[in-house]
């Protein structure tokens, strides 16, 4: 009897349905739509914004590492960031820059770049720094750090992949006495 009552109330829907569709006579519970519609948008970030995001993510990891190191060394009454400054790399299409930075004092302890005369005169390049130039930069920054008594650093690749010039610079700095 209930099915006929429901069937009688849905008879206007059966007339509008095609023969291939099957109309259920069970009452359905209407639920609010839980899913958002699929929206396809164009890419809004540029390569530079992607690199900056990677750099920020890497700095967070380094900061967490330094905080853990400072906390661990705090138990032994030693400050971590002065003992282990950050070796920051920036590369452009034409030049390569390296700085050793003490983040607690916000002070640059040592720096080197391809714009400095000893490096730019030794390598005559026209299309940008190569891996050989990056190796020389690693050697220069390692010698500069060792002269100032810095033996270990935290390597900040600046969001760039650890490949090519960045890797060559890091390997050369390691070979000449810096510990990462």
């Amino acid at each position: 009897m209930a099915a006929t009552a429901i069937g009688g109330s849905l008879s206007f829907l059966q007339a509008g349905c095609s023969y291939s569709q099957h109309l259920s006579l069970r009452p359905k519970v209407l639920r609010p739509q839980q899913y958002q519609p699929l929206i396809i948008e164009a890419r809004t970030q540029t390569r530079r914004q992607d690199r900056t995001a990677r750099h920020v993510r890497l700095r967070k990891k380094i900061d967490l590492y330094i905080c853990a190191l400072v906390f661990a060394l705090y138990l032994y009454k030693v400050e971590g960031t002065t003992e282990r400054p950050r070796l920051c790399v920036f590369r452009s299409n034409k030049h390569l820059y390296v700085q050793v930075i003490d983040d607690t004092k916000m002070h640059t302890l040592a720096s080197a770049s391809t714009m400095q005369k000893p490096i730019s005169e030794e390598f005559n390049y026209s299309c940008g720094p190569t891996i050989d130039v990056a190796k020389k930069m690693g050697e220069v920054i390692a010698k500069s750090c060792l002269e100032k008594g810095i033996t270990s650093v935290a390597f900040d690749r600046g969001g760039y992949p650890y490949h090519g010039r960045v890797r060559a610079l890091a390997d050369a700095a390691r070979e000449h006495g810096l510990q990462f």
Side-chain angles (χ1 to χ4, degrees), residues 110-131:
S111 66
S113 74
T114 54
M115 295 180 70
Q116 294 174 344
K117 286 202 177 193
I119 296 171
S120 64
E121 289 175 353
E122 183 175 341
F123 292 98
N124 188 11
Y125 55 90
S126 59
C127 62
T130 60
I131 291 178

Side-chain angles (χ1 to χ4, degrees), residues 17 24 37 60 63 65 76 91 99 110 114 118 124 138 145 161 180:
C17 294
S24 174
K60 284 181 185 176
D63 288 344
Y65 174 74
Y76 301 107
R91 66 175 175 89
Q99 292 181 340
T114 54
N124 188 11
C145 287
F180 291 19

Side-chain angles (χ1 to χ4, degrees), residues 65 83-87 100 141-142 145-146 150-155 170-180:
Y65 174 74
E83 295 295 322
R84 189 180 163 110
R86 177 170 55 102
L87 181 95
V100 178
I141 197 70
C145 287
L146 292 176
I150 301 168
T151 58
S152 66
V153 294
F155 186 66
D171 290 342
R174 251 188 230 112
E175 288 173 5
H176 291 280
L178 276 184
Q179 297 175 354
F180 291 19

Side-chain angles (χ1 to χ4, degrees), residues 45-100:
Q45 290 189 334
T46 61
R47 290 174 65 188
R48 176 172 283 175
Q49 289 171 335
D50 289 342
R51 185 193 73 81
T52 305
R54 284 192 305 270
H55 187 162
V56 167
R57 192 168 50 240
L58 182 66
R59 285 296 307 275
K60 284 181 185 176
K61 288 181 184 178
I62 289 174
D63 288 344
L64 286 175
Y65 174 74
I66 289 175
C67 287
L69 185 64
V70 167
F71 181 72
L73 294 177
Y74 177 73
L75 300 174
Y76 301 107
K77 307 288 191 243
V78 179
E79 293 188 24
T81 56
T82 305
E83 295 295 322
R84 189 180 163 110
R86 177 170 55 102
L87 181 95
C88 183
V89 177
F90 177 78
R91 66 175 175 89
S92 68
N93 289 338
K94 292 186 177 183
H95 296 287
L96 191 62
Y97 308 90
V98 184
Q99 292 181 340
V100 178

